[in-house]
Amino acid sequence: GDGGDHVLGVFQQEKAAEATFMGSPAGPGEVWFEQRYLQGDGCDQIGGPRSTTIRVMCSYHDETILTAVTEQSPCRYVAELRTPAICPHPFFRDNEAASRALNVHCYAAPVDDGAVQVVQDE
């Protein structure tokens, strides 16, 4: 870009109901609240306005922290925000418990005494 300041998107009250709770498509894991901000400054690369998706995730730290801002495609941004304020919501409580479930696999150990070795997935 030109290195100047740009509006990356504007909150639109009429679209507030479109905010959604999202989760990992692979099953239990990270979950987030997602809201889109549209109609930012014009972008020559796409011939239209910039937009930003904000992903709000639960954080067990005392601070609210902006952890990442990426440009996923020209003039389409994703910002990740972690905050303890959203953790009490049932969506986060239920999914957090599921994400702490352990996957344990038992394999026969290659020893003569028939011992079993337990390996925990990372």
Side-chain angles (χ1 to χ4, degrees), residues 63-118:
E63 299 177 337
T64 296
I65 302 169
L66 180 64
T67 55
V69 178
T70 56
E71 186 173 13
Q72 292 200 319
S73 62
C75 302
R76 302 287 184 245
Y77 308 93
V78 174
E80 295 181 357
L81 181 75
R82 295 184 181 269
T83 179
I86 203 163
C87 298
H89 189 282
F91 181 81
F92 290 93
R93 282 197 321 264
D94 295 346
N95 281 284
E96 193 273 336
S99 71
R100 289 185 186 258
L102 299 178
N103 294 321
V104 176
H105 303 280
C106 297
Y107 301 97
V111 293
D112 294 333
D113 65 4
V116 175
Q117 177 183 13
V118 177

Side-chain angles (χ1 to χ4, degrees), residues 9-19 35-39:
V10 177
F11 177 74
Q12 299 183 5
Q13 184 65 41
E14 66 276 7
K15 297 207 179 254
E18 294 176 16
Q35 191 167 39
R36 300 218 33 213
Y37 289 72
L38 307 171
Q39 300 302 318

Side-chain angles (χ1 to χ4, degrees), residues 28-72:
E30 185 105 69
V31 294
W32 60 88
F33 173 78
E34 184 170 288
Q35 191 167 39
R36 300 218 33 213
Y37 289 72
L38 307 171
Q39 300 302 318
D41 287 348
C43 176
D44 293 339
Q45 287 181 292
I46 62 170
R50 299 168 195 269
S51 66
T52 301
T53 299
I54 305 291
R55 292 181 179 160
V56 183
M57 299 171 207
C58 175
S59 171
Y60 294 102
H61 299 285
D62 292 334
E63 299 177 337
T64 296
I65 302 169
L66 180 64
T67 55
V69 178
T70 56
E71 186 173 13
Q72 292 200 319

